[in-house]
Amino acid sequence: MRVETPEIFADLQRKLMTAELRPGTKLKPSELQGFYGCSANTVRDVLLRLSKVGLVEFEMQRGFRVRATTPERRHDVTRFRILLEQEGARLSMLNGGVGWESRLTAAHHKLSHIETQIAGADDVTPYLGLWSDAELEFHETLISSCGSPILRETYSDIYAQFRQQMVGLERDFGSSYFHSIIDEHQAVLDAALARDVEACRTAIYDHLKRNL
């Protein structure tokens, strides 16, 4: 069955962000084309787009590989994500109305439900994709009223790189991790709804500082 290009991009991006495709793995268009039922050129175009997002490395004559994960790159990506999210949240608190508050509350409710369900699971690996989608939705909603398309586009790419780096380094996603971030996400929500810029900046930093 033929898979359309946007679906190929979305599927590969998710596999890269959740480390289903491990760091350093060679990505061969000739192999992927059979899986997706399309031409090798189509797969190559998708991989080039993913290289621009920062999830794939491309070298002439050597082809495509899943981007390597290192503590140094995780630190750098985390630092940049904090800066973007703090500014995006600040602008959204200034510009966002009741609609923004409602969307943010709904996104948090979904995320909190998922995190609560998997907090006690012995193996959370099967749920990483679902959780990653819900967390991205919450954080993107947080900055969604910032009024800057460039900030939002850049944040989306940085978030994808952050997720790949974090999961790729095989962090401990046990129950203690999820119990902690449930409280951290609640702190971000509370500060945002209170329009408390400094409290929200602090909550965002506290949520991500373990990756620095």
Side-chain angles (χ1 to χ4, degrees):
M1 181 180 295
R2 180 180 176 82
V3 179
E4 297 300 326
T5 302
E7 294 173 318
I8 298 172
F9 181 90
D11 188 61
L12 282 174
Q13 183 181 50
R14 191 181 222 222
K15 288 176 178 176
L16 290 162
M17 288 172 62
T18 58
E20 185 175 338
L21 292 171
R22 300 297 299 169
T25 301
K26 189 171 181 60
L27 300 169
K28 299 179 179 180
S30 58
E31 294 179 357
L32 291 171
Q33 73 172 109
F35 180 77
Y36 289 112
C38 63
S39 70
N41 283 337
T42 296
V43 174
R44 191 174 293 108
D45 289 343
V46 170
L47 292 175
L48 283 171
R49 287 172 57 201
L50 288 166
S51 71
K52 293 178 181 179
V53 173
L55 299 176
V56 170
E57 296 173 311
F58 172 70
E59 291 184 37
M60 294 295 294
Q61 309 302 323
R62 300 189 66 181
F64 300 94
R65 288 187 181 276
V66 179
R67 180 175 286 281
T69 54
T70 66
E72 293 78 16
R73 185 167 183 84
R74 183 182 66 190
H75 169 85
D76 200 26
V77 171
T78 301
R79 190 164 55 91
F80 197 35
R81 179 186 164 185
I82 290 171
L83 292 173
L84 288 170
E85 190 163 332
Q86 287 177 333
E87 179 62 7
R90 182 186 73 84
L91 292 171
S92 290
M93 282 184 277
L94 290 174
N95 301 325
V98 175
W100 170 71
E101 292 182 356
S102 298
R103 293 193 304 274
L104 184 63
T105 301
H108 176 265
H109 178 76
K110 180 195 296 184
L111 175 61
S112 179
H113 177 73
I114 293 170
E115 289 174 342
T116 301
Q117 291 297 310
I118 64 178
D122 294 330
D123 180 16
V124 305
T125 304
Y127 307 102
L128 282 178
L130 181 65
W131 166 61
S132 184
D133 289 347
E135 207 213 24
L136 174 59
E137 181 182 350
F138 172 69
H139 287 283
E140 284 193 325
T141 304
L142 176 66
I143 69 168
S144 63
S145 290
C146 68
S148 172
I150 292 177
L151 190 155
R152 294 179 65 185
E153 290 168 10
T154 305
Y155 180 82
S156 180
D157 290 349
I158 290 299
Y159 181 94
Q161 292 185 48
F162 168 85
R163 182 63 58 204
Q164 182 187 49
Q165 290 291 314
M166 188 186 75
V167 179
L169 288 170
E170 299 183 6
R171 292 188 55 79
D172 176 16
F173 292 106
S175 60
S176 60
Y177 176 84
F178 282 95
H179 285 305
S180 296
I181 64 170
I182 286 171
D183 293 337
E184 292 163 14
H185 284 139
Q186 185 68 53
V188 172
L189 175 70
D190 291 343
L193 294 180
R195 312 286 174 142
D196 188 331
V197 172
E198 287 307 313
C200 193
R201 287 174 59 86
T202 299
I204 290 169
Y205 177 81
D206 287 346
H207 173 48
L208 296 169
K209 66 183 180 182
R210 65 171 60 83
N211 299 285
L212 294 171

